[in-house]
Amino acid sequence: MRPTQKPDISLTQLRYFVAAAEQGSMTWAADELFVAQSAISTSIANLEKALGVQLLIRRRAKGLQLTTHGADFLQRSRGILAAVDDAVNALRPENTAGRVNVGCFRTLAPFYLPSIVSALEEAHPELQVDVSELLADGVNDALRDQAIEVALTYDLGLDGDIAREVLAQVPLYVAVGATHPLAGRSSVRLADLLEEPMVLLDLPVSRDYFMQAFTDHGLRPSVRYRFANFEAVRAMVASGHGFTLLNQQPKLGYTYSGGELHRLSIVEPTRALDIVLARRAASAPMTRKASLFANEARLAVTRIMGVSAEAAQSAS
């Protein structure tokens, strides 16, 4: 397909295309936007005709698939729609109706998202917060593709073109079960753990960070179990199946299974993790909606980290 004249593209076409691409279905996009499915299909077909390229591959009973051109156009379309939305809102700063796409690191989500979303719903009930739960290896792509505008995450595996605002720092610690021989201590040397089985939180990039705590000191732990679920790791440790290394500290030391965990500080120097707000360094200033999320994230981290610090101090 080749355009016969200068492309005549509307914002409605861009919105319909982005919705269809994100939903992977014309029908689901129509449901989300409260329009007829034929309106979505016709709009995207006219958009492709105007551009002279195919953006989506229609697969019967299998949904939609982006072409190479479509993936690039999706990224740019998201940026255009966000910029237009923010320009309109700048004229009406009191208006916060609409959507904002944000990300949150998977293991941070249970600690901070509930209070962030609750605060936003109370102050701005017309604002819809769409959250993508991400791992360290997915934050860069989500920001670069403009699938999200800002992410609450660890400064872990972020590329150089990602801007970071540090909100808090969380140290690395050892967790053992209540009956573990080391449970009576307040601190432990990494060398004392080498003969103990390790339960590893096995997430991309995160696993390397935990293992590096040992390798930086010329040590190699004995990893017995690997889990991608934060609570599964804690439950296994509480049941006496070994130790683990973690950063986030739940308010209570008990696990889903009812077991209890004891926290030990590490004698050797280890790298703490920064909790950050991350965004593309080359992007324009955050939209008003993203700024609202960022402000509530700052407040939530400050509040919850303060409570965690007090709890850890009283426990010691």
Side-chain angles (χ1 to χ4, degrees):
M1 293 183 289
R2 293 182 179 274
T4 58
Q5 57 186 9
K6 186 176 180 179
D8 184 11
I9 298 171
S10 70
L11 292 177
T12 297
Q13 288 176 320
L14 295 184
R15 289 193 180 94
Y16 286 4
F17 164 67
V18 170
E22 291 181 344
Q23 295 290 331
S25 163
M26 300 279 190
T27 302
W28 292 353
D31 291 343
E32 181 184 87
L33 298 174
F34 300 102
V35 298
Q37 187 271 339
S38 58
I40 300 286
S41 179
T42 300
S43 178
I44 293 176
N46 289 337
L47 176 62
E48 291 177 321
K49 183 177 179 180
L51 294 173
V53 298
Q54 184 176 9
L55 301 173
L56 295 168
I57 299 173
R58 287 77 163 167
R59 301 175 300 171
R60 182 177 295 274
K62 292 185 178 180
L64 304 172
Q65 179 181 339
L66 285 164
T67 64
T68 301
H69 289 303
D72 180 67
F73 194 69
L74 174 61
Q75 175 183 342
R76 298 174 187 275
S77 297
R78 285 167 170 160
I80 292 170
L81 293 175
V84 170
D85 186 45
D86 201 45
V88 172
N89 287 332
L91 302 176
R92 297 179 297 167
E94 74 285 353
N95 179 30
T96 56
R99 297 171 55 185
V100 60
N101 296 303
V102 302
C104 190
F105 193 86
R106 178 181 294 177
T107 59
L108 292 177
F111 293 91
Y112 302 108
L113 270 184
S115 63
I116 294 172
V117 173
S118 294
L120 288 172
E121 286 182 347
E122 181 177 353
H124 308 282
E126 69 286 351
L127 176 62
Q128 179 181 336
V129 182
D130 292 337
V131 183
S132 296
E133 188 182 45
L134 302 168
L135 296 176
D137 60 344
V139 175
N140 293 308
D141 289 341
L143 287 170
R144 199 168 289 120
D145 294 344
Q146 298 188 58
I148 60 173
E149 191 171 344
V150 62
L152 178 63
T153 183
Y154 286 120
D155 188 357
L156 192 64
L158 296 178
D159 290 343
D161 61 343
I162 302 299
R164 306 150 170 85
E165 177 190 340
V166 178
L167 304 184
Q169 190 174 77
V170 283
L172 192 63
Y173 69 92
V174 175
V176 296
T179 60
H180 194 281
L182 297 174
R185 298 190 189 181
S186 61
S187 63
V188 66
R189 292 186 176 277
L190 292 173
D192 295 337
L193 300 170
L194 297 185
E195 300 302 319
E196 302 288 335
M198 181 178 183
V199 184
L200 177 66
L201 181 58
D202 194 7
L203 298 175
V205 186
S206 297
R207 69 174 72 93
D208 300 324
Y209 162 73
F210 292 126
M211 296 299 288
Q212 187 179 2
F214 287 94
T215 57
D216 280 349
H217 299 283
L219 304 173
R220 181 178 179 180
S222 176
V223 178
R224 178 63 181 85
Y225 299 101
R226 298 171 180 265
F227 295 96
N229 183 283
F230 180 78
E231 283 300 328
V233 169
R234 297 180 73 245
M236 288 292 287
V237 171
S239 296
H241 296 292
F243 75 93
T244 192
L245 298 185
L246 297 171
N247 293 91
Q248 280 303 126
Q249 302 176 38
K251 195 172 181 179
L252 299 176
Y254 291 93
T255 66
Y256 289 168
S257 59
E260 185 178 3
L261 287 178
H262 285 258
R263 174 182 173 275
L264 294 78
S265 60
I266 300 172
V267 174
E268 295 93 336
T270 56
R271 174 193 165 197
L273 280 184
D274 289 334
I275 298 176
V276 301
L277 284 170
R279 56 189 297 271
R280 291 193 310 148
S283 64
M286 278 192 292
T287 63
R288 172 165 165 71
K289 295 181 179 67
S291 294
L292 292 174
F293 173 85
N295 288 338
E296 291 300 336
R298 295 183 187 103
L299 292 172
V301 171
T302 299
R303 181 175 61 254
I304 294 172
M305 284 299 295
V307 171
S308 298
E310 291 175 8
Q313 188 173 16
S314 62
S316 60

